[in-house]
């Protein structure tokens, strides 16, 4: 944004220091005049016939006062310029760091030394902002790269299938159509997941009163056939857990959690437990599942996009696109809640969602 040039902050502070010092000197001279010189008689004999009269004192005092005022003005300008420079030095460092960040260098930090003051608080807040911004940009870059890779995969498969069909006209078209349909369905699911993730990140949704227990029951009922197909016991327990948010997004959150718990479970005899409860002003949704043991260092990475357990690629039909827990984390964050993931000692995962209860 183009603005007309103006006085620098350092010059303004310098003029302010000099101005206040000059005013203080003028007030001091005024006090001297009011409480000293005004009581000196203005006659030829002076005070008690021996002291100089007011006229002589004024002529003697005026040049000295003028010199003192000139000295105060010069001292105020020079001293103010130096003091303003020292005071604004931290702001200059912050400005330089902001310019570097504006040019794309987000790794630079102010790291201001010294005791805690307003400038130190500003520098620390700016460093924190740069750290979060750098992390967010890196995350977005990784997300864009992974999304491009994931979207390119079904397109490349489709192109390969079409090339094979073109070179071999006698090939079974039914098989080709079925494989193309599966690939296209996966691409559509990935696109819809990306759109949902973008929507939840923006947080542009209407908040309504939602009971997490009803949402959990609906998600469990929807995924019950999948659980029965895999031989997994699915239970939904608990009481009412009122919260404020988007019913559609909260249902997708619960559905993703339950589906993730079913897919990443034991081959036979696994269990999934969905529990809801309210603690004061907080509503809690817990999803616990059996499964193989997870390394503790792996758990924090599960909410990253395109993560599928400890493997990047899965071959089963319910593997999803690797955005399930990423979407859950985004929805919880958009609803001002918290998401906790903890590995179970016996294997599997315990996911706890805490959302603010409705007023």
């Amino acid at each position: 944004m183009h603005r007309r040039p103006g006085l620098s902050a350092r010059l303004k502070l310098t003029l302010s220091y000099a101005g206040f010092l000059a005013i203080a000197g003028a007030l001091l001279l005024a006090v001297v005049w009011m409480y000293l010189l005004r009581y000196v008689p203005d006659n030829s004999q002076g005070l008690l016939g021996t002291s100089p009269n007011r006229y002589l004192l004024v002529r003697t005092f005026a040049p000295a006062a003028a010199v003192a005022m000139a000295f105060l003005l010069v001292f105020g300008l020079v001293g103010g310029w130096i003091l303003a420079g020292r005071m604004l030095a931290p702001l200059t460092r912050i400005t330089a760091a902001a310019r570097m960040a504006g040019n794309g260098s987000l790794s630079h930090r102010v790291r201001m030394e010294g005791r805690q003051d307003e400038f130190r608080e500003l520098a620390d807040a700016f460093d924190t902002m740069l750290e979060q911004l750098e992390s967010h940009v890196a995350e977005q870059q990784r997300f864009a790269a992974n999304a491009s890779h994931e979207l390119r995969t079904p397109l490349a498969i489709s192109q390969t299938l079409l090339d094979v069909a073109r070179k071999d006209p006698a090939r079974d078209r039914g098989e080709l159509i079925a494989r193309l349909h599966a690939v296209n369905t996966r691409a559509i699911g990935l696109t819809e997941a990306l759109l949902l993730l973008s929507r939840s990140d923006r947080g542009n949704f209407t908040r309504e009163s939602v009971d997490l227990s009803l949402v959990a029951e609906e998600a469990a009922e929807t995924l019950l056939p999948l659980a029965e197909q895999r031989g997994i016991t699915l239970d939904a327990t608990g009481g009412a857990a009122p919260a404020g948010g988007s019913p559609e997004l909260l249902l997708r959150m619960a559905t993703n959690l339950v589906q993730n718990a079913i897919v990443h479970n034991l081959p036979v005899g696994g269990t999934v437990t969905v529990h809801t409860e309210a603690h004061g002003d907080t509503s809690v949704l817990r999803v616990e599942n059996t499964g193989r043991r997870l390394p503790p260092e792996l758990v924090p990475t599960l909410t990253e996009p395109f993560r599928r357990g400890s493997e990047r690629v899965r071959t089963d039909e319910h593997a999803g696109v690797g955005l399930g827990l990423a979407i859950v984390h985004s929805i919880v964050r958009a609803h001002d809640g918290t998401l906790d993931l903890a590995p179970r000692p016996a294997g599997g995962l315990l996911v706890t969602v805490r959302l603010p209860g409705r007023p």
Side-chain angles (χ1 to χ4, degrees):
M1 181 178 180
H2 178 72
R3 292 193 178 101
R4 292 183 300 173
L7 299 178
S8 65
R10 186 175 186 181
L11 182 57
K12 291 179 181 178
L13 289 175
T14 300
L15 295 177
S16 300
Y17 294 153
F20 281 120
L21 196 58
I23 292 174
L27 290 176
L28 182 60
L29 294 178
V31 170
V32 172
W33 171 261
M34 291 177 60
Y35 291 96
L36 181 60
L37 296 181
R38 64 179 297 186
Y39 293 109
V40 177
D42 191 13
N43 52 46
S44 58
Q45 297 298 323
L47 185 62
L48 301 178
T50 59
S51 302
N53 57 23
R54 187 187 305 174
Y55 173 76
L56 293 177
L57 288 177
V58 169
R59 290 198 60 182
T60 305
F61 179 73
V67 171
M69 287 297 299
F71 173 78
L72 286 177
L73 184 60
V74 174
F75 180 78
L77 291 173
V78 175
W81 181 262
I82 296 174
L83 289 177
R86 292 177 61 87
M87 290 294 297
L88 295 177
L91 191 60
T92 304
R93 291 179 56 183
I94 298 174
T95 303
R99 287 199 179 99
M100 295 181 66
N103 293 329
S105 177
L106 299 177
S107 60
H108 179 71
R109 300 290 183 269
V110 180
R111 292 190 178 91
M112 188 170 296
E113 305 84 5
R115 297 183 178 180
Q116 192 73 16
D117 57 11
E118 289 81 358
F119 286 114
R120 178 67 183 273
E121 291 180 0
L122 177 61
D124 292 344
F126 188 78
D127 285 345
T128 303
M129 181 193 69
L130 284 180
E131 184 177 354
Q132 294 177 352
L133 185 60
E134 183 182 19
S135 175
H136 180 71
V137 170
E139 180 181 352
Q140 291 299 318
Q141 290 175 346
R142 290 194 304 269
F143 177 81
N146 290 330
S148 300
H149 174 77
E150 295 287 339
L151 286 171
R152 183 178 59 183
T153 300
L155 295 176
I157 295 175
S158 298
Q159 183 178 2
T160 302
L161 292 175
L162 292 174
D163 290 341
V164 170
R166 184 177 58 183
K167 294 177 181 179
D168 186 9
R171 189 180 181 88
D172 185 7
R173 292 189 176 183
E175 179 186 358
L176 175 64
I177 293 175
R179 296 185 64 181
L180 284 176
H181 181 269
V183 173
N184 187 60
T185 301
R186 181 176 179 82
I188 292 175
L190 174 59
T191 304
E192 291 178 349
L194 291 173
L195 292 175
L196 179 62
L197 184 61
S198 174
R199 178 190 172 192
S200 58
D201 280 337
R202 291 195 305 268
N204 54 349
F205 53 84
T206 302
R207 294 180 181 269
E208 304 176 14
S209 296
V210 182
D211 189 348
L212 292 183
S213 64
L214 299 180
V215 171
E217 289 178 4
E218 183 176 354
E221 183 179 353
T222 302
L223 293 170
L224 183 59
L226 175 62
E228 293 177 346
Q229 177 186 350
R230 290 174 171 256
I232 294 174
T233 303
L234 176 59
D235 293 324
T237 62
S246 168
E248 177 188 357
L249 291 179
L250 292 178
L251 177 59
R252 175 58 68 94
M253 174 195 72
T255 302
N256 285 3
L257 288 176
V258 176
Q259 181 177 359
N260 185 79
I262 295 174
V263 172
H264 300 279
N265 213 306
L266 296 174
V268 179
T271 61
V272 175
T273 304
V274 185
H275 181 77
T276 58
E277 59 185 0
H279 292 291
D281 295 334
T282 303
S283 296
V284 181
L285 169 65
R286 290 192 182 91
V287 179
E288 184 177 6
N289 67 285
T290 56
R292 62 184 183 82
R293 293 185 178 182
L294 296 176
E297 63 273 9
L298 174 66
V299 175
T301 67
L302 294 179
T303 56
E304 295 180 4
F306 307 106
R307 294 290 304 202
R308 302 181 182 94
S310 60
E311 302 174 351
R312 181 169 179 78
V313 177
R314 291 175 58 92
T315 57
D316 55 55
E317 58 179 337
H318 295 287
V321 295
L323 291 174
L325 288 180
I327 292 176
V328 169
H329 183 244
S330 179
I331 292 175
V332 172
R333 183 172 52 191
H335 285 77
D336 303 322
T338 59
L339 174 66
D340 296 325
L341 280 69
R344 299 174 69 247
L349 189 67
L350 172 61
V351 181
T352 305
V353 176
R354 294 181 176 85
L355 298 178
R358 66 189 179 194

